[in-house]
Each structure stands twice: as C-alpha cells, then as structure tokens.
Amino acid sequence: PHTMYKLLTDSQVCSKLTKTKCEIGRGVGTDINILDGAVTGKNIELITDVKIVQQLQFTMEGWPVGHNSTVTLEISRVAGGTTLVHTQEN
C-alpha cells in the first residue's frame, strides 16, 4: 500500500514514473497538477497508505470546461500484493 500511495501523492515519484511534470500537494486542500497539466485539482481527503480522494478536472479534448470529477482511491494489502479500488463520480 505504501508504494502505491506514494506514487499517487509524491510529485517526484509520479514525475519519474510518468515522465511528465507532476506537482502534487501533500495535504488536504492542496493543489494537484499532473501529466504536464492534463489533470488539475485538489486533494479532498488523504489517509496515509489507505485512501485518497481528489477533485479533478481534465484538460483534454472532449472534457467539459469547468467540470470536476471526484476520484476516490482505496488502497489495501492483500495476499501477495496490493489492491487499488478506483471510484469516479461525475
């Protein structure tokens, strides 16, 4: 769980893996700007190694301008690894 949580909340780790510019705030209410600005938003809830809730806006073609989506990522340890459950609303 820690490795997955770090990938999703650490700017340097995210940038290295995606080979894009990623700026991820470390606390609730902080800004997110990842994948060279293709995704922006805010951290809504952070429970270390367990849960990440973010309000995101995608800047790619076809995504409505000003439309936000709430993404919830729940991370848990399972036999032999880690499980990530992704829920997206709106």
Side-chain angles (χ1 to χ4, degrees):
H2 181 69
T3 301
M4 182 61 67
Y5 185 85
K6 189 166 182 161
L7 165 67
L8 297 164
T9 60
D10 185 293
S11 298
Q12 289 182 335
V13 175
C14 184
S15 291
K16 185 176 180 179
L17 180 72
T18 63
K19 296 180 177 29
T20 64
K21 184 176 181 182
C22 298
E23 297 175 351
I24 306 168
R26 293 191 175 255
V28 171
T30 58
D31 291 331
I32 301 163
N33 186 322
I34 59 174
L35 304 174
D36 290 331
V39 181
T40 60
K42 290 200 176 293
N43 287 314
I44 304 300
E45 182 180 0
L46 298 169
I47 302 173
T48 303
D49 298 345
V50 175
K51 186 176 182 181
I52 300 165
V53 180
Q54 298 171 326
Q55 187 174 32
L56 301 177
Q57 184 173 64
F58 299 82
T59 59
M60 61 201 70
E61 186 176 331
W63 189 265
V65 174
H67 180 79
N68 292 304
S69 180
T70 301
V71 174
T72 301
L73 304 166
E74 296 175 282
I75 307 164
S76 58
R77 183 177 311 279
V78 295
T82 300
T83 271
L84 175 72
V85 175
H86 170 263
T87 306
Q88 188 162 352
E89 299 175 41
N90 298 333

